[in-house]
Amino acid sequence: MHPTVVMSNHVHVYVSQAHKGELVMGAGVDSYNGYGQRGSFHLIERQMAAALELFPVFARAHVLRTWGGIVDVTPDASPIIGPTPVGNLFLNCGWGTGGFKATPASGWVYAHAIATGEPHPLAEAFTLERFTTGALIDEHGAAAVAH
Amino acid sequence: MLLIACPWCGEREELEFHYGGQAHVAHPAEPEGLSDSQWGEYLFVRDNPKGPFAERWSHSAGCRRWFNVVRHTVTHEILAVYPAGQPKPVILP
Protein backbone atom coordinates (compact mmCIF):
# COMPACT_ATOMS: atom_id res chain seq x y z
CA MET A 1 0.00 0.00 0.00
CA HIS A 2 2.88 2.32 0.87
CA PRO A 3 5.86 1.92 -1.47
CA THR A 4 8.04 4.60 0.08
CA VAL A 5 8.79 6.57 3.20
CA VAL A 6 6.49 9.57 3.47
CA MET A 7 7.46 12.59 5.50
CA SER A 8 5.54 15.75 6.32
CA ASN A 9 7.15 18.59 8.16
CA HIS A 10 3.82 20.37 8.54
CA VAL A 11 2.16 17.77 10.72
CA HIS A 12 5.39 16.09 11.92
CA VAL A 13 4.91 12.64 10.46
CA TYR A 14 7.31 10.26 8.88
CA VAL A 15 5.97 6.85 8.16
CA SER A 16 7.10 3.77 6.31
CA GLN A 17 5.44 0.41 5.91
CA ALA A 18 7.20 -2.74 7.09
CA HIS A 19 7.13 -5.83 4.90
CA LYS A 20 4.50 -7.41 7.15
CA GLY A 21 2.26 -4.41 6.55
CA GLU A 22 2.71 -2.55 9.81
CA LEU A 23 3.20 1.21 9.66
CA VAL A 24 6.28 2.47 11.49
CA MET A 25 6.46 6.05 12.75
CA GLY A 26 8.68 8.16 14.93
CA ALA A 27 7.22 10.65 17.40
CA GLY A 28 8.72 13.46 19.48
CA VAL A 29 10.61 14.07 22.70
CA ASP A 30 9.39 14.84 26.21
CA SER A 31 10.14 18.40 27.24
CA TYR A 32 11.66 17.28 30.54
CA ASN A 33 14.57 15.12 31.73
CA GLY A 34 13.67 11.48 32.17
CA TYR A 35 15.06 7.97 32.38
CA GLY A 36 11.70 6.21 32.29
CA GLN A 37 11.95 5.05 28.63
CA ARG A 38 8.20 4.63 28.50
CA GLY A 39 6.96 7.10 25.90
CA SER A 40 4.45 9.70 27.01
CA PHE A 41 0.86 8.93 26.13
CA HIS A 42 0.09 12.42 24.84
CA LEU A 43 3.07 12.28 22.46
CA ILE A 44 1.83 8.96 21.08
CA GLU A 45 -1.69 10.40 20.76
CA ARG A 46 -0.37 13.49 19.00
CA GLN A 47 1.61 11.29 16.61
CA MET A 48 -1.50 9.30 15.76
CA ALA A 49 -3.48 12.50 15.23
CA ALA A 50 -0.80 13.86 12.91
CA ALA A 51 -0.69 10.63 10.93
CA LEU A 52 -4.47 10.72 10.50
CA GLU A 53 -4.23 14.30 9.33
CA LEU A 54 -2.01 13.10 6.49
CA PHE A 55 -3.66 9.70 5.86
CA PRO A 56 -7.25 9.53 7.15
CA VAL A 57 -7.38 5.89 6.01
CA PHE A 58 -5.00 5.03 8.89
CA ALA A 59 -7.98 5.43 11.23
CA ARG A 60 -8.80 1.80 10.43
CA ALA A 61 -5.48 0.62 11.90
CA HIS A 62 -4.72 -0.11 15.55
CA VAL A 63 -1.66 0.79 17.61
CA LEU A 64 0.20 -2.49 18.00
CA ARG A 65 3.14 -1.35 20.12
CA THR A 66 5.07 1.72 21.12
CA TRP A 67 8.70 2.12 22.10
CA GLY A 68 10.48 4.81 24.08
CA GLY A 69 14.14 5.42 24.78
CA ILE A 70 16.48 8.07 26.11
CA VAL A 71 17.19 11.05 23.86
CA ASP A 72 20.44 12.91 24.53
CA VAL A 73 19.91 16.54 23.63
CA THR A 74 22.37 19.45 23.82
CA PRO A 75 21.44 23.07 24.61
CA ASP A 76 21.52 24.01 20.90
CA ALA A 77 20.12 20.66 19.70
CA SER A 78 23.20 19.86 17.60
CA PRO A 79 25.64 17.05 18.39
CA ILE A 80 28.97 17.40 20.18
CA ILE A 81 31.84 15.75 18.25
CA GLY A 82 35.53 15.94 19.05
CA PRO A 83 38.16 16.15 21.77
CA THR A 84 37.51 17.34 25.33
CA PRO A 85 39.71 19.04 27.95
CA VAL A 86 40.28 15.55 29.41
CA GLY A 87 43.12 13.76 27.62
CA ASN A 88 42.07 10.82 25.44
CA LEU A 89 38.39 11.45 26.14
CA PHE A 90 36.43 12.17 22.97
CA LEU A 91 32.75 12.94 22.56
CA ASN A 92 30.29 11.95 19.88
CA CYS A 93 26.93 12.55 21.51
CA GLY A 94 23.90 14.80 21.74
CA TRP A 95 22.35 13.65 18.48
CA GLY A 96 18.83 14.12 19.80
CA THR A 97 16.28 12.28 17.69
CA GLY A 98 18.57 12.47 14.65
CA GLY A 99 21.79 10.72 13.86
CA PHE A 100 21.15 7.58 11.88
CA LYS A 101 21.55 9.20 8.49
CA ALA A 102 24.57 11.16 9.71
CA THR A 103 26.38 8.10 11.06
CA PRO A 104 28.87 7.60 8.16
CA ALA A 105 29.95 11.24 8.17
CA SER A 106 30.06 11.53 11.96
CA GLY A 107 32.09 8.31 12.18
CA TRP A 108 34.53 9.70 9.62
CA VAL A 109 35.12 13.01 11.41
CA TYR A 110 35.13 11.33 14.82
CA ALA A 111 37.82 8.87 13.71
CA HIS A 112 39.89 11.85 12.55
CA ALA A 113 39.54 13.44 16.01
CA ILE A 114 40.64 10.23 17.76
CA ALA A 115 43.54 9.67 15.37
CA THR A 116 44.92 13.22 15.45
CA GLY A 117 43.58 14.71 18.69
CA GLU A 118 42.20 17.61 16.66
CA PRO A 119 38.66 18.07 15.36
CA HIS A 120 38.15 17.36 11.67
CA PRO A 121 37.70 20.63 9.73
CA LEU A 122 34.13 19.63 8.88
CA ALA A 123 33.32 19.19 12.58
CA GLU A 124 35.29 22.09 14.05
CA ALA A 125 32.12 23.99 14.87
CA PHE A 126 30.69 20.99 16.71
CA THR A 127 33.18 20.73 19.58
CA LEU A 128 32.31 21.15 23.25
CA GLU A 129 34.05 24.55 23.18
CA ARG A 130 31.07 26.21 21.54
CA PHE A 131 29.32 26.31 24.93
CA THR A 132 32.18 28.49 26.19
CA THR A 133 32.74 30.65 23.12
CA GLY A 134 29.02 31.11 22.56
CA ALA A 135 29.30 30.08 18.90
CA LEU A 136 26.22 27.89 19.09
CA ILE A 137 24.91 26.10 16.02
CA ASP A 138 21.60 27.45 14.82
CA GLU A 139 20.37 24.27 13.18
CA HIS A 140 17.50 23.30 15.45
CA GLY A 141 15.09 21.50 13.17
CA ALA A 142 17.62 21.21 10.35
CA ALA A 143 16.46 17.61 10.01
CA ALA A 144 13.61 17.22 7.57
CA VAL A 145 11.12 16.99 10.44
CA ALA A 146 11.02 19.69 13.08
CA HIS A 147 11.77 18.71 16.65
CA MET B 1 0.96 12.04 31.19
CA LEU B 2 2.05 13.90 34.31
CA LEU B 3 -0.63 15.27 36.60
CA ILE B 4 0.92 18.43 38.04
CA ALA B 5 -0.61 20.22 41.01
CA CYS B 6 -0.26 23.92 40.24
CA PRO B 7 -0.06 25.72 43.62
CA TRP B 8 -2.78 28.12 42.45
CA CYS B 9 -5.00 26.07 40.12
CA GLY B 10 -4.74 22.53 41.45
CA GLU B 11 -4.08 19.36 39.50
CA ARG B 12 -3.90 19.78 35.74
CA GLU B 13 -2.53 17.73 32.88
CA GLU B 14 1.07 18.15 31.83
CA LEU B 15 -0.06 19.63 28.49
CA GLU B 16 -1.05 22.86 30.25
CA PHE B 17 2.50 23.41 31.50
CA HIS B 18 5.80 24.58 30.10
CA TYR B 19 9.05 23.08 31.35
CA GLY B 20 11.75 25.38 32.67
CA GLY B 21 14.61 23.01 33.46
CA GLN B 22 16.63 22.77 36.66
CA ALA B 23 15.49 24.93 39.59
CA HIS B 24 17.70 26.86 42.00
CA VAL B 25 20.22 28.00 39.38
CA ALA B 26 21.15 31.39 40.79
CA HIS B 27 22.13 34.25 38.49
CA PRO B 28 25.79 35.12 39.18
CA ALA B 29 26.16 38.07 41.57
CA GLU B 30 28.89 39.63 39.43
CA PRO B 31 28.48 38.37 35.87
CA GLU B 32 31.09 40.81 34.58
CA GLY B 33 33.71 39.13 36.77
CA LEU B 34 33.20 35.67 35.28
CA SER B 35 35.45 34.04 32.71
CA ASP B 36 33.89 32.74 29.49
CA SER B 37 33.98 29.18 30.81
CA GLN B 38 32.33 30.19 34.11
CA TRP B 39 29.61 32.03 32.19
CA GLY B 40 29.19 29.01 29.92
CA GLU B 41 28.81 26.82 33.02
CA TYR B 42 26.07 29.10 34.31
CA LEU B 43 24.24 29.13 30.98
CA PHE B 44 24.50 25.54 29.86
CA VAL B 45 25.72 23.08 32.49
CA ARG B 46 22.91 21.42 34.42
CA ASP B 47 22.44 18.44 36.69
CA ASN B 48 20.79 15.41 35.13
CA PRO B 49 20.20 13.01 38.02
CA LYS B 50 18.55 9.63 37.83
CA GLY B 51 16.18 10.15 40.75
CA PRO B 52 14.60 13.18 42.46
CA PHE B 53 15.18 16.40 40.49
CA ALA B 54 14.09 19.94 41.46
CA GLU B 55 12.85 21.71 38.34
CA ARG B 56 10.85 24.73 37.21
CA TRP B 57 7.43 24.56 35.60
CA SER B 58 5.11 27.29 34.35
CA HIS B 59 1.34 26.89 34.15
CA SER B 60 1.47 28.46 30.70
CA ALA B 61 -2.07 27.52 29.63
CA GLY B 62 -3.51 28.50 33.02
CA CYS B 63 -2.44 31.12 35.54
CA ARG B 64 0.94 31.50 33.77
CA ARG B 65 2.82 31.48 37.07
CA TRP B 66 6.15 29.75 37.67
CA PHE B 67 6.73 27.31 40.50
CA ASN B 68 9.05 24.45 41.41
CA VAL B 69 8.50 20.72 41.39
CA VAL B 70 10.60 17.82 42.67
CA ARG B 71 10.03 14.94 40.26
CA HIS B 72 11.60 11.50 40.15
CA THR B 73 13.19 11.22 36.71
CA VAL B 74 12.68 7.45 36.47
CA THR B 75 9.19 6.94 37.90
CA HIS B 76 8.02 10.50 37.04
CA GLU B 77 6.43 10.59 40.50
CA ILE B 78 5.96 14.17 41.71
CA LEU B 79 7.42 14.33 45.21
CA ALA B 80 6.90 18.02 46.03
CA VAL B 81 5.42 21.22 44.60
CA TYR B 82 6.49 24.55 46.09
CA PRO B 83 6.58 28.23 45.16
CA ALA B 84 9.61 29.69 43.39
CA GLY B 85 11.98 31.33 45.86
CA GLN B 86 11.47 28.76 48.57
CA PRO B 87 14.27 26.36 49.44
CA LYS B 88 14.30 22.90 47.95
CA PRO B 89 12.44 20.51 50.26
CA VAL B 90 14.40 17.65 51.75
CA ILE B 91 13.39 14.44 49.97
CA LEU B 92 14.31 11.28 51.81
CA PRO B 93 15.24 8.32 49.58
Short mmCIF file of all heavy atoms in Angstrom, two decimals, chain A residues 79-83 118-120 123-131 135 137:
data_model
loop_
_atom_site.label_atom_id
_atom_site.label_comp_id
_atom_site.label_asym_id
_atom_site.label_seq_id
_atom_site.Cartn_x
_atom_site.Cartn_y
_atom_site.Cartn_z
N PRO A 79 24.75 17.98 17.69
CA PRO A 79 25.64 17.05 18.39
C PRO A 79 26.96 17.68 18.83
O PRO A 79 27.33 18.75 18.34
CB PRO A 79 25.89 15.95 17.36
CG PRO A 79 25.63 16.59 16.04
CD PRO A 79 24.57 17.61 16.28
N ILE A 80 27.63 17.01 19.76
CA ILE A 80 28.97 17.40 20.18
C ILE A 80 29.92 16.32 19.66
O ILE A 80 29.75 15.14 19.97
CB ILE A 80 29.07 17.49 21.72
CG1 ILE A 80 28.09 18.53 22.26
CG2 ILE A 80 30.50 17.82 22.15
CD1 ILE A 80 27.90 18.46 23.76
N ILE A 81 30.89 16.71 18.83
CA ILE A 81 31.84 15.75 18.25
C ILE A 81 33.24 16.31 18.43
O ILE A 81 33.49 17.45 18.05
CB ILE A 81 31.61 15.55 16.74
CG1 ILE A 81 30.13 15.39 16.41
CG2 ILE A 81 32.38 14.33 16.23
CD1 ILE A 81 29.84 15.44 14.92
N GLY A 82 34.14 15.51 19.01
CA GLY A 82 35.53 15.94 19.05
C GLY A 82 36.19 15.76 20.39
O GLY A 82 35.64 15.13 21.30
N PRO A 83 37.40 16.31 20.53
CA PRO A 83 38.16 16.15 21.77
C PRO A 83 37.54 16.95 22.92
O PRO A 83 36.69 17.81 22.72
CB PRO A 83 39.55 16.70 21.42
CG PRO A 83 39.36 17.54 20.21
CD PRO A 83 38.13 17.07 19.51
N GLU A 118 42.78 16.33 17.08
CA GLU A 118 42.20 17.61 16.66
C GLU A 118 40.86 17.35 15.96
O GLU A 118 40.70 16.32 15.30
CB GLU A 118 43.13 18.31 15.64
CG GLU A 118 44.50 18.65 16.19
CD GLU A 118 44.44 19.72 17.27
OE1 GLU A 118 43.57 20.62 17.15
OE2 GLU A 118 45.22 19.64 18.23
N PRO A 119 39.91 18.29 16.08
CA PRO A 119 38.66 18.07 15.36
C PRO A 119 38.88 18.11 13.85
O PRO A 119 39.73 18.85 13.36
CB PRO A 119 37.77 19.24 15.81
CG PRO A 119 38.69 20.26 16.37
CD PRO A 119 39.90 19.53 16.86
N HIS A 120 38.13 17.30 13.13
CA HIS A 120 38.15 17.36 11.67
C HIS A 120 37.61 18.72 11.22
O HIS A 120 36.69 19.25 11.85
CB HIS A 120 37.27 16.23 11.12
CG HIS A 120 37.38 16.06 9.63
ND1 HIS A 120 36.72 16.88 8.75
CD2 HIS A 120 38.07 15.18 8.87
CE1 HIS A 120 37.00 16.51 7.51
NE2 HIS A 120 37.82 15.47 7.56
N ALA A 123 34.02 19.28 11.29
CA ALA A 123 33.32 19.19 12.58
C ALA A 123 33.84 20.20 13.59
O ALA A 123 33.47 20.15 14.76
CB ALA A 123 33.45 17.77 13.14
N GLU A 124 34.69 21.12 13.11
CA GLU A 124 35.29 22.09 14.05
C GLU A 124 34.25 22.85 14.86
O GLU A 124 34.44 23.12 16.04
CB GLU A 124 36.15 23.08 13.27
CG GLU A 124 37.63 22.78 13.35
CD GLU A 124 38.43 23.64 12.39
OE1 GLU A 124 37.81 24.36 11.57
OE2 GLU A 124 39.65 23.57 12.45
N ALA A 125 33.15 23.19 14.19
CA ALA A 125 32.12 23.99 14.87
C ALA A 125 31.34 23.18 15.89
O ALA A 125 30.59 23.74 16.70
CB ALA A 125 31.15 24.57 13.84
N PHE A 126 31.53 21.85 15.88
CA PHE A 126 30.69 20.99 16.71
C PHE A 126 31.38 20.53 17.99
O PHE A 126 30.93 19.60 18.64
CB PHE A 126 30.25 19.75 15.90
CG PHE A 126 29.25 20.07 14.83
CD1 PHE A 126 29.66 20.50 13.58
CD2 PHE A 126 27.89 19.97 15.07
CE1 PHE A 126 28.75 20.81 12.58
CE2 PHE A 126 26.96 20.28 14.09
CZ PHE A 126 27.40 20.70 12.84
N THR A 127 32.50 21.16 18.36
CA THR A 127 33.18 20.73 19.58
C THR A 127 32.47 21.28 20.82
O THR A 127 31.63 22.19 20.74
CB THR A 127 34.65 21.19 19.61
OG1 THR A 127 34.66 22.62 19.59
CG2 THR A 127 35.43 20.65 18.43
N LEU A 128 32.86 20.73 21.96
CA LEU A 128 32.31 21.15 23.25
C LEU A 128 32.58 22.63 23.52
O LEU A 128 31.83 23.29 24.25
CB LEU A 128 32.94 20.28 24.34
CG LEU A 128 32.38 20.31 25.75
CD1 LEU A 128 30.92 19.90 25.76
CD2 LEU A 128 33.20 19.40 26.65
N GLU A 129 33.64 23.16 22.92
CA GLU A 129 34.05 24.55 23.18
C GLU A 129 32.97 25.57 22.84
O GLU A 129 33.00 26.69 23.34
CB GLU A 129 35.30 24.90 22.35
CG GLU A 129 36.59 24.48 22.99
CD GLU A 129 37.76 24.72 22.05
OE1 GLU A 129 37.63 25.55 21.13
OE2 GLU A 129 38.78 24.05 22.23
N ARG A 130 32.05 25.20 21.96
CA ARG A 130 31.07 26.21 21.54
C ARG A 130 30.19 26.68 22.70
O ARG A 130 29.61 27.76 22.65
CB ARG A 130 30.22 25.70 20.39
CG ARG A 130 29.20 24.61 20.71
CD ARG A 130 28.45 24.25 19.44
NE ARG A 130 27.32 23.37 19.64
CZ ARG A 130 27.38 22.03 19.60
NH1 ARG A 130 28.53 21.45 19.37
NH2 ARG A 130 26.30 21.31 19.76
N PHE A 131 30.12 25.88 23.77
CA PHE A 131 29.32 26.31 24.93
C PHE A 131 30.11 27.24 25.84
O PHE A 131 29.59 27.75 26.82
CB PHE A 131 28.79 25.08 25.68
CG PHE A 131 27.93 24.22 24.81
CD1 PHE A 131 28.38 23.01 24.33
CD2 PHE A 131 26.66 24.67 24.42
CE1 PHE A 131 27.59 22.23 23.49
CE2 PHE A 131 25.87 23.91 23.58
CZ PHE A 131 26.33 22.68 23.11
N ALA A 135 29.57 30.28 20.33
CA ALA A 135 29.30 30.08 18.90
C ALA A 135 28.40 28.87 18.72
O ALA A 135 28.81 27.83 18.19
CB ALA A 135 30.61 29.91 18.14
N ILE A 137 25.29 26.47 17.38
CA ILE A 137 24.91 26.10 16.02
C ILE A 137 23.41 26.26 15.88
O ILE A 137 22.64 25.60 16.58
CB ILE A 137 25.38 24.67 15.71
CG1 ILE A 137 26.91 24.62 15.78
CG2 ILE A 137 24.88 24.22 14.35
CD1 ILE A 137 27.47 23.24 15.79
#
